Amino acid sequence: MTKNSMRVVQESIAEMVAKKIREDIMNRTLKSGDKIREVELSKQLNVSRTPVREAFRILQSEGLVVHNPRVGVVVTSIGINDVVQLYEVRGVLEQLSAQSAASYITEEQIRELKEINNKMRACADENPEDADNYDIEFHIYIAKLAHNPILEEQLAILHRKTHMVLNFVPFQKGRIPYSCKEHDDIINALEQHEPEIAKKYMDIHFQKSTKSLRDKIIAYNSEIK
């Protein structure tokens, strides 16, 4: 095997390890502040420590883990400022996403967005804990319609971080109808192919979402103290 082939294999294994850790964070097997032990993970997955270290670097670049010199690699903790900054940056990119998507979106894609939003709306009465999954699906779908691969890639990273936060502070049942109504406004603007109006409603949506999430984080941190 050539050096280049070995490098490709190592990178592939590192991605597999990163995916496993990412899933464990998303499903709360690994919680905020948990230490991830390199040796144990290497044995558990039956891989060498080199791809495990590379996986740590991948996840660190995504903001899902941090390296603490005294402790090692730990799952990122939730802080008010971190969450607000995450939503501020994501809000700007989501506005750009909606603005761009308005020029390309088709009737079939509008129907798909409405279906996702209706599924989220139904969660208020049936499964409130699933609302965040449909919310992220809604925004991921718009990002794909923006015809901007770099924008979609950056939003994918931010969506993963958002998903991690929402695992700790899931959607409040009372917020779901309001969020879905805000989605309706975005969909209507997209359907009319109005880029600036779509951008405006996405901005309004994120202002309200940021306030709601900030309040939930404060409540969550009070509970775990």
Side-chain angles (χ1 to χ4, degrees), residues 45-195:
L45 299 179
N46 195 27
V47 299
S48 71
R49 294 169 67 176
T50 299
V52 173
R53 293 191 194 104
E54 181 58 31
F56 287 162
R57 282 192 283 271
I58 292 171
L59 296 170
Q60 193 168 359
S61 72
E62 295 176 1
L64 297 179
V65 303
V66 294
H67 182 266
N68 186 318
R70 294 184 179 180
V71 180
V73 175
V74 299
V75 179
T76 302
S77 297
I78 302 173
I80 293 290
N81 290 337
D82 293 334
V83 171
V84 171
Q85 289 169 9
L86 165 63
Y87 264 59
E88 284 177 347
V89 174
R90 189 183 150 199
V92 171
L93 295 185
E94 294 278 9
Q95 288 178 57
L96 180 59
S97 176
Q99 183 182 39
S100 181
S103 299
Y104 300 103
I105 198 163
T106 66
E107 291 183 8
E108 181 179 350
Q109 290 163 344
I110 287 291
R111 284 194 295 270
E112 179 66 22
L113 277 177
K114 288 179 178 179
E115 182 177 346
I116 295 170
N117 200 38
N118 286 336
K119 288 179 180 178
M120 180 177 169
R121 185 176 279 112
C123 288
D125 297 321
E126 299 171 6
N127 301 296
E129 64 277 6
D130 291 337
D132 60 307
N133 293 325
Y134 289 119
D135 181 63
I136 291 178
E137 182 181 354
F138 178 87
H139 289 282
I140 287 175
Y141 193 76
I142 292 176
K144 289 180 179 179
L145 303 179
H147 289 222
N148 186 328
I150 295 176
L151 175 62
E152 184 179 350
E153 178 184 358
Q154 294 306 308
L155 277 171
I157 293 173
L158 296 176
H159 290 148
R160 284 196 291 269
K161 292 183 181 180
T162 302
H163 198 165
M164 184 183 74
V165 170
L166 292 175
N167 275 329
F168 295 99
V169 282
F171 250 95
Q172 291 178 326
K173 183 177 180 179
R175 168 66 183 153
I176 296 173
Y178 295 100
S179 187
C180 289
K181 175 59 174 68
E182 292 157 20
H183 286 176
D184 286 337
D185 292 335
I186 295 167
I187 292 171
N188 289 338
L190 292 172
E191 190 170 17
Q192 296 300 318
H193 300 286
E194 293 283 359

Side-chain angles (χ1 to χ4, degrees), residues 9 19 26 30 34 41 43 45 61 67 74-75 78 100 122 124 146 153 160 197 200 202-203 209 225:
V9 170
K19 180 180 179 182
M26 296 307 177
L30 288 170
D34 281 357
L41 188 60
K43 291 179 180 178
L45 299 179
S61 72
H67 182 266
V74 299
V75 179
I78 302 173
S100 181
E153 178 184 358
R160 284 196 291 269
I197 297 177
K200 170 190 171 184
M202 186 67 81
D203 181 31
S209 295
K225 285 183 179 178

